[in-house]
Amino acid sequence: MKPVKAPGYWPTRILLAVALIATAITVVFALWAAFWAAPTFGGGGGPSVWGLPNNVVIVVLAAAIAVIGLIWMIRIFRGPRDEPPAWRYRDR
């Protein structure tokens, strides 16, 4: 007998696929923009963080935040469904 899927099975999968694609596109375009942009807003030699131009560091941090958000969403998606976590066990 085939297992019955929950009513929200396909919408959840579609939302996760959209999130994966959107994060990938965001990271690719952000990194592309970071390495092709001018070093500073005013031009010339500007501030640097860890030896990298300021704009590169800002865009890499933004891309890292997007990836961390995606990883967190996948973690929530793959978590236990109805059973409580082991550390919340209590006698009834």
Side-chain angles (χ1 to χ4, degrees), residues 44-77:
S48 65
V49 179
W50 300 311
L52 295 171
N54 207 10
N55 64 334
V56 173
V57 173
I58 290 171
V59 172
V60 168
L61 284 175
I65 290 170
V67 170
I68 289 169
L70 178 67
I71 291 170
W72 190 263
M73 189 170 72
I74 292 171
R75 179 186 172 272
I76 292 170
F77 174 73

Side-chain angles (χ1 to χ4, degrees), residues 30-43:
L31 293 176
W32 179 75
F35 290 107
W36 285 101
T40 61
F41 292 112

Side-chain angles (χ1 to χ4, degrees), residues 42 54 82-83 87 91:
N54 207 10
D82 292 331
E83 61 272 358
W87 57 269
D91 292 327

